Amino acid sequence: MSAEIATNRKAGRDFHILEKYEAGLELKGTEVKSIRAGKVNIADAFARVEGNNQIFLYGCNIQPWQTAGEWYNHAEKRPRRLLLHKSEILKLANATNVKGCTLPLLRMYWKDRRVKVEIGVGKGKTHSDQRHDLKEKVELREAAREMSRFNQR
């Protein structure tokens, strides 16, 4: 059972998610305390594979812990290393070499006292794709509404 910390709803709107991967997150102590307090924003977070087979998370905003001193506190938007197996990192590196693919952060959650993130291989949607998805969602909602009206009789 995992407890949600944050979800990135913008990722589902802006990208077709092709694959999902679970990764650990290398954090400092004050970052964990801030996450427990719910002071995290992952709306613009994405991952990038660096040259020496490491993958880093960028754009994840974890607020500084208020009671910690200046010496012990962390930077809000520092790059954080993701913990994945080497084979998974190589798969993600190959996936990002395809034009239009990126690695958006989908959600952050607790799993056995550890913070995990779910990253996806996403291919960007065009404006017409977004409109088509919205139209499909409205049609499904209307069909469900009509089914419920029919079953009430």
Side-chain angles (χ1 to χ4, degrees):
M1 189 166 113
S2 63
E4 289 283 325
I5 297 169
T7 57
N8 187 0
R9 294 183 296 178
K10 261 174 59 173
R13 184 192 70 200
D14 296 339
F15 300 102
H16 292 290
I17 304 300
L18 306 175
E19 292 180 76
K20 294 180 182 179
Y21 291 90
E22 179 184 65
L25 193 56
E26 188 178 280
L27 296 170
K28 293 183 178 181
T30 56
E31 290 174 326
V32 175
K33 289 182 178 191
S34 292
I35 289 173
R36 283 192 193 281
K39 301 192 185 261
V40 62
N41 183 8
I42 62 169
D44 298 325
F46 64 96
R48 184 183 297 156
V49 179
E50 299 292 327
N52 53 357
N53 290 334
Q54 290 187 0
I55 187 165
F56 288 91
L57 181 66
Y58 294 94
C60 180
N61 188 355
I62 300 175
Q63 294 294 319
W65 183 243
Q66 292 178 347
T67 58
E70 184 179 324
W71 181 262
Y72 293 106
N73 233 333
H74 61 275
E76 287 182 40
K77 286 196 171 188
R78 72 175 184 90
R80 293 166 179 90
R81 191 164 67 125
L82 294 178
L83 307 173
L84 287 163
H85 291 283
K86 190 174 185 177
S87 61
E88 291 176 329
I89 293 173
L90 293 175
K91 284 180 191 175
L92 290 172
N94 289 336
T96 55
N97 288 337
V98 176
K99 184 178 179 185
C101 284
T102 186
L103 303 174
L105 181 65
L106 303 176
R107 65 187 187 118
M108 184 182 285
Y109 56 95
W110 291 103
K111 184 176 180 182
D112 299 331
R113 296 180 10 223
R114 301 190 194 291
V115 177
K116 299 286 184 174
V117 294
E118 186 176 71
I119 57 174
V121 178
K123 189 160 180 75
K125 286 184 183 178
T126 62
H127 187 64
S128 61
D129 289 339
Q130 292 176 358
R131 286 176 41 198
H132 177 71
D133 288 347
L134 187 61
K135 182 179 176 184
E136 189 175 299
K137 187 189 252 185
V138 168
E139 288 173 355
L140 286 173
R141 189 180 319 125
E142 288 176 358
R145 194 174 292 149
E146 287 297 321
M147 290 289 287
S148 67
R149 274 193 214 139
F150 181 77
N151 290 333
Q152 286 178 353
R153 294 182 201 169

